[in-house]
Amino acid sequence: MMQTSVHKSEKMPWRKTKRWWFWLMLFLMMGTLMFIFYYSTTEVWPLSRSSESCNNLTTAYDFFPAYPHPYGFIMDEPHRCRQERPFLVLMIPVAPHNRGARDVIRMTWGKNTTVQGHVVSYYFLLGLSEEGDGAEVLEEQLLDESWRHHDILQSDFMDSYKNLTIKTMVMFEWLNSHCPNTSYAMKIDADIFLNVHNLVLMLMTAPRHLFMTGCVAWGSAVLRDHDSKWYMPVSAFPESIYPPYALGLGYVFSMDLPIKILEASLHIKAIYLEDVYVGLCMRQLGVTLTDPPHSGLFRVSTPFFAGSCYWSTVITSMLQDSDQLRDVWEIYQTQLLNGC
Ligand SMILES: *[C@@H]1O[C@H](CO)[C@@H](O)[C@H](O)[C@H]1NC(C)=O
Ligand SMILES: *[C@@H]1O[C@H](CO)[C@@H](O)[C@H](O)[C@H]1NC(C)=O
Ligand SMILES: *[C@@H]1O[C@H](CO)[C@@H](O)[C@H](O)[C@H]1NC(C)=O
Ligand SMILES: *[C@@H]1O[C@H](CO)[C@@H](O)[C@H](O)[C@H]1NC(C)=O
């Protein structure tokens, strides 16, 4: 009797602890599963991304941006590229109001103008901000920013998610007419970590002609779900698989391609997914995309537990937003100091 009661009183709290552990483990497992699910979906459906909010694509107009069209530049750097003759030009699409993202890039991966003895320069690509509250003030601030930094190109189409294809095509036009002595250009989003050093190293041994690389999607399914950010109706694109294309977050190309892509674009109706559209132009040209030398260089997402030399081994890695770049850049500098 006595023995059992002692036994019991000893066992009770253990049971409680056990139950507590059970719930804790269950909670952790659910969390892990949700985490894995989130990351696997971002890996599986990377496609093109933008910091702009999700959109309601209902009219045909939304799927077919107004291109070709003779867009002009309100803010330009008409002579800089010709004079500087950079080896590599980084072209960064960014919304007019996103001054914060531009400033972070100017202090991080945009800062070094000479990498491995090669001149590298960058330009921000803007459209027009929507009319309304503060649009005029914003334009004035942009003029001031452009005067200070000489890195802003603003074209006269409405800057919006659905117009990103216009931005990309205007980028090819600008590169083609302003950078005759440049070997490579890269289109890169503002919320990306870029290791310019590794990029230049890769380009030093890359082909100079008909070359495009990045995260290449070979045979992505066309998304027919109306709720998807990348929804594409059959009427706009009847095939069920996209031709190979480089994900819009960051792709590099040799400078013989812009004029060729522009010529191809005259034969293909522009669709709103800018990276897919460039892929369609590449198919029209019969130019095959190139995979990077190894798969770890262009990362669609940043692993939760990035290794101790992660930032010094990649070329691009997607971040949550451009604010994160400031912190990540410090970690990268530390990794360099630690001999990575
Ligand atoms: C999208 O827009 C259409 C018409 O403008 C509207 O009827 C529909 O409810 C909207 N859908 C969503 C999900 O907002
Ligand atoms: C710029 O390049 C030099 C030499 O390549 C390097 O030591 C330095 O860390 C770089 N600075 C930044 C901000 O990347
Ligand atoms: C795209 O830009 C054109 C030209 O500025 C404009 O007419 C159109 O409304 C824009 N579309 C969207 C969805 O912003
Ligand atoms: C610069 O570009 C022009 C026009 O494409 C070309 O004729 C010239 O040879 C180039 N110069 C150098 C140094 O690459």
Side-chain angles (χ1 to χ4, degrees):
M1 227 14 220
M2 188 67 186
Q3 242 181 341
T4 29
S5 80
V6 166
H7 201 78
K8 227 177 186 175
S9 67
E10 268 176 6
K11 215 166 183 174
M12 280 300 282
W14 170 235
R15 279 223 183 108
K16 266 186 198 152
T17 320
K18 238 176 163 174
R19 198 167 300 149
W20 188 80
W21 266 104
F22 171 77
W23 286 114
L24 179 71
M25 286 328 242
L26 191 69
F27 180 73
L28 285 175
M29 272 164 66
M30 295 295 286
T32 311
L33 281 174
M34 278 167 68
F35 182 78
I36 289 170
F37 180 72
Y38 172 74
Y39 272 92
S40 63
T41 47
T42 48
E43 287 281 5
V44 174
W45 309 119
L47 293 156
S48 54
R49 264 185 18 120
S50 154
S51 49
E52 269 95 341
S53 62
C54 220
N55 43 92
N56 182 352
L57 299 168
T58 45
T59 64
Y61 187 84
D62 291 335
F63 299 102
F64 304 113
Y67 192 86
H69 181 87
Y71 296 107
F73 283 90
I74 300 164
M75 281 178 222
D76 199 358
E77 294 297 329
H79 310 297
R80 232 192 95 184
C81 199
R82 207 176 288 272
Q83 283 165 357
E84 292 177 351
R85 308 157 76 94
F87 170 70
L88 166 68
V89 176
L90 307 170
M91 302 295 276
I92 312 149
V94 58
H97 63 84
N98 206 348
R99 171 81 189 248
R102 291 190 290 273
D103 281 342
V104 179
I105 289 169
R106 287 177 182 125
M107 288 188 298
T108 56
W109 50 258
K111 200 171 170 186
N112 253 357
T113 51
T114 307
V115 180
Q116 290 286 310
H118 288 86
V119 177
V120 178
S121 57
Y122 65 88
Y123 296 88
F124 295 106
L125 266 170
L126 284 63
L128 291 175
S129 57
E130 271 172 276
E131 302 281 323
D133 312 342
E136 269 176 40
V137 178
L138 180 58
E139 274 307 305
E140 265 172 42
Q141 288 169 343
L142 279 173
L143 269 173
D144 179 63
E145 188 183 337
S146 164
W147 180 80
R148 266 171 217 275
H149 298 283
H150 295 285
D151 57 8
I152 291 185
L153 311 175
Q154 187 182 33
S155 184
D156 60 355
F157 62 87
M158 200 56 73
D159 198 310
S160 69
Y161 176 71
K162 292 162 212 162
N163 269 347
L164 281 180
T165 297
I166 301 180
K167 208 178 244 194
T168 297
M169 299 315 285
V170 163
M171 169 190 82
F172 286 128
E173 289 177 6
W174 191 90
L175 285 170
N176 182 52
S177 54
H178 291 77
C179 301
N181 295 97
T182 291
S183 303
Y184 298 98
M186 178 178 207
K187 184 248 159 183
I188 177 162
D189 285 345
D191 54 352
I192 306 287
F193 168 86
L194 175 66
N195 187 319
V196 189
H197 179 83
N198 289 349
L199 174 60
V200 169
L201 279 185
M202 181 192 79
L203 292 177
M204 282 164 71
T205 57
R208 290 286 174 106
H209 301 284
L210 304 178
F211 172 75
M212 182 181 283
T213 193
C215 264
V216 183
W218 301 96
S220 269
V222 178
L223 301 184
R224 305 296 191 193
D225 176 359
H226 285 70
D227 297 330
S228 168
K229 187 178 181 184
W230 303 291
Y231 168 59
M232 186 62 76
V234 176
S235 58
F237 190 79
E239 299 163 51
S240 59
I241 302 286
Y242 287 125
Y245 66 95
L247 301 188
L249 50 103
Y251 52 86
V252 203
F253 46 92
S254 54
M255 278 293 287
D256 58 334
L257 278 179
I259 182 72
K260 292 187 162 60
I261 290 171
L262 291 170
E263 283 163 4
S265 77
L266 300 176
H267 305 284
I268 309 159
K269 199 171 168 69
I271 53 171
Y272 81 102
L273 296 175
E274 61 91 16
D275 47 8
V276 170
Y277 185 59
V278 174
L280 290 171
C281 293
M282 293 291 279
R283 176 169 72 179
Q284 171 81 15
L285 292 171
V287 177
T288 312
L289 281 94
T290 308
D291 272 322
H294 64 89
S295 60
L297 294 176
F298 291 82
R299 306 289 299 244
V300 175
S301 58
T302 300
F304 189 70
F305 297 108
S308 59
C309 282
Y310 179 79
W311 303 106
S312 46
T313 52
V314 298
I315 289 179
T316 62
S317 193
M318 193 194 275
L319 306 174
Q320 305 293 328
D321 49 45
S322 68
D323 287 341
Q324 201 192 344
L325 181 55
R326 215 181 289 263
D327 301 332
V328 159
W329 197 257
E330 273 188 26
I331 302 172
Y332 166 51
Q333 299 301 314
T334 312
Q335 292 186 350
L336 286 180
L337 288 177
N338 291 344
C340 282

